[in-house]
Amino acid sequence: MKFIKEIWLKNVYCVLDAIADRDVLHDAWSGKSNYPTSPEEIYNEVFSDAFLGEYARPELGLDEAQKAAGKAFIDSLEQFDKIGGPELPWQEVIDHPGWIEVREAAKKFLDLLKPQA
């Protein structure tokens, strides 16, 4: 199970790190990065590629603070999705108050996971 946790943490760390950094997202969303992406792709990475929604799985062994931060992050994405979310143009998403909450939740979750990464 340690192998699964290590892979999950590595994938999650990369996704959260990008989401938490406004400048990285700006460059990626505006096409200035070597790794162009979009708000929609971020949702795909979170829910399909990195399996971030799996934060509560017992085999990952996250503590209660980490699980709470994971839930807050996923909740912030779901809330942002309800107000237009990833379908909005990236220029509207990048500094949207709802996306700022997503970014802050990503950073908190990332900071709590870092000691394990």
Side-chain angles (χ1 to χ4, degrees):
M1 289 302 165
K2 184 177 179 178
F3 180 67
I4 291 171
K5 182 177 180 178
E6 288 174 5
I7 292 171
W8 185 84
L9 282 170
K10 180 181 175 189
N11 291 335
V12 166
Y13 182 82
C14 290
V15 172
L16 289 175
D17 194 43
I19 293 170
D21 189 326
R22 183 200 181 277
D23 294 336
V24 168
L25 282 183
H26 182 276
D27 288 351
W29 290 352
S30 67
K32 294 179 184 175
S33 165
N34 289 335
Y35 304 100
T37 187
S38 68
E40 288 178 331
E41 182 58 28
I42 292 293
Y43 274 74
N44 186 49
E45 288 178 30
V46 167
F47 293 107
S48 298
D49 299 344
F51 298 101
L52 254 150
E54 303 291 318
Y55 64 87
R57 289 180 64 144
E59 60 267 25
L60 294 175
L62 301 187
D63 65 31
E64 292 308 311
Q66 292 166 326
K67 289 178 187 177
K71 181 178 181 340
F73 172 68
I74 296 299
D75 288 351
S76 70
L77 278 172
E78 290 174 346
Q79 185 62 37
F80 189 66
D81 190 41
K82 290 177 185 175
I83 58 173
E87 289 83 28
L88 295 172
W90 73 264
Q91 297 91 334
E92 291 180 36
V93 173
I94 196 81
D95 291 319
H96 190 286
W99 189 257
I100 291 170
E101 288 181 25
V102 169
R103 209 165 45 236
E104 290 170 352
K107 180 165 180 11
K108 182 175 181 180
F109 192 23
L110 177 65
D111 288 346
L112 289 170
L113 291 174
K114 273 186 179 177
Q116 296 187 29

